[in-house]
Amino acid sequence: MKQHKIISVSEDSIAWEMNVETGDILLSVNGQEIKDILDYRWLMAEENILVEIQKPDGEIWEFEIEKDSDEGLGLVFPPGSMGEDRRCANNCIFCFIDQQPPGLRESLYVKDDDPYQSFAMGNYITLTNLEPEDVDQIIKHRLSPMRVSVHAGDMNLRRMMMGSMRAGYLFKILERFCKADIDMHFQVVLCRGINDGKHLDTTIERLANLGKNAKSLAIVPVGLTRYRDGLYPLEGFTGEDAVKIIAQVGDWQYRLCSERGSKFVYLADEWYVLAGKDVPYYGDYDDFPQLDNGVGMMAHFHNEFISTLEEILVTIQSTMAPKRVGIVTGVAAGTFMRSLAKDYKRKFSNFAMDIHVIQNDFYGPGVTVSGLLTGKDIINQLTGKCVGLDTLFIPGNAFRIGTKDMLCGATLDEVSQALGVEAVIGSTDGGEFCRQLFALCGFDDLV
């Protein structure tokens, strides 16, 4: 039976209260061997568990524990000892990690490709580092939905794009997931002249034909930074390219909507920006199956913002205090945010909103999304331009989750001090962001 050495115990946790100590060994949970992190997480979801611990002197302790289903024991194991945090085994021609500049925090150079992270965090994985027994574990533990990076329905093309012979086994694994009733969402990183055109048609068709467990497909444009020396030669898409891709995918949406009851395939917001077109309406995204992937984010944000605004208007009886705020955004969302600001100002003429579109000098002009903005670029481009602002909103997706740290290492406080204005993290939820604006005017009870 596989054993797992405990390297620390979280203070005040269940294990701490049971006098489990560093150096003890976890033998089993509910009499079952724990092969990997999937087994462990699955067993921890039980509310009543029997835990078997071996002390350094060989004595076996058993604990009968009653807990909440989402409550852990507080045990910490050596990194990688349970097979978690699988790393990517590919050499993709479009890999964004390979295009990172030097000097960033170490975690930004890590190439994750882990099935548990796909299930728990919504990460997209390639499936190329899985053995048959790993697929068995996913099925056993019902990790549904899974999110899979496909890139090409032609397996020879997928092998070339991903630099891995194992990339050709994709549909064998996907078919196993279908038989096990595992739902799947897919992603294609589209590269100009490589997997677009007829190859994109093939990819959409093969994935849609998997049946009811194939839930959605996102088509996102390849992200190209200025750090591509020595990498595979790739070109960015033009506005004319984007117009053609929108029409091509639109044909598929029309066909699949009648066949499946949903559009199935959705384009990232960047395609519409690049083509100079308005993003689709809120209702065109079905139930927003790819929102976590940034697909439909503008339409969703706008709907939530306006809905909340109308809801709050019914409540407010007094006059709002005059305010002026600055809102930072990337090039891709610049026109969208200016339009949103106009909608807001029409309701409250004494509320000024300055939209600051930041060019991404850090990564280069090919990167236009707000989630990859850096504090350095914001400071360089807004120095001297924040005079008179009450608050400067910086998009929340530009910060590392759960922190006030940006990609370049700058913190929220450092940006605030450098620009001489109170900088705050703006919510990526349109409704919550609307409430943040009203809170500035003294309506704190609305937040």
Side-chain angles (χ1 to χ4, degrees), residues 327-363:
I327 300 174
V328 168
T329 189
V331 172
T335 300
F336 167 76
M337 290 304 298
R338 289 192 181 101
S339 175
L340 198 71
K342 288 181 180 178
D343 288 341
Y344 196 83
K345 189 172 178 59
R346 277 196 289 266
K347 301 290 185 181
F348 307 107
S349 59
N350 63 342
F351 196 102
M353 298 172 68
D354 299 344
I355 305 300
H356 297 285
V357 178
I358 304 299
Q359 303 285 332
N360 202 318
D361 296 329
F362 186 82
Y363 282 114

Side-chain angles (χ1 to χ4, degrees), residues 111-170:
K111 298 182 181 182
D112 292 318
D113 202 10
D114 184 80
Y116 180 75
Q117 293 301 320
S118 173
F119 171 70
M121 305 296 292
N123 298 353
Y124 279 79
I125 60 174
T126 66
L127 307 178
T128 59
N129 59 359
L130 300 185
E131 301 296 337
E133 53 267 29
D134 297 319
V135 178
D136 292 340
Q137 286 288 83
I138 292 172
I139 292 172
K140 169 186 173 183
H141 296 306
R142 301 288 309 149
L143 296 191
S144 180
M146 295 296 293
R147 293 169 175 82
V148 183
S149 288
V150 176
H151 310 312
D154 180 316
M155 291 300 94
N156 288 327
L157 178 58
R158 189 174 195 253
R159 290 189 188 99
M160 184 282 288
M161 292 184 68
M162 298 176 63
S164 170
M165 291 302 295
R166 300 188 67 173
Y169 300 126
L170 174 68

Side-chain angles (χ1 to χ4, degrees), residues 40-60:
Y40 185 68
R41 297 289 187 187
W42 182 55
L43 290 165
M44 284 301 105
E46 297 290 332
E47 296 183 350
N48 295 283
I49 59 175
L50 176 67
V51 178
E52 191 177 32
I53 296 287
Q54 180 176 304
K55 306 299 285 186
D57 62 3
E59 185 178 1
I60 305 296

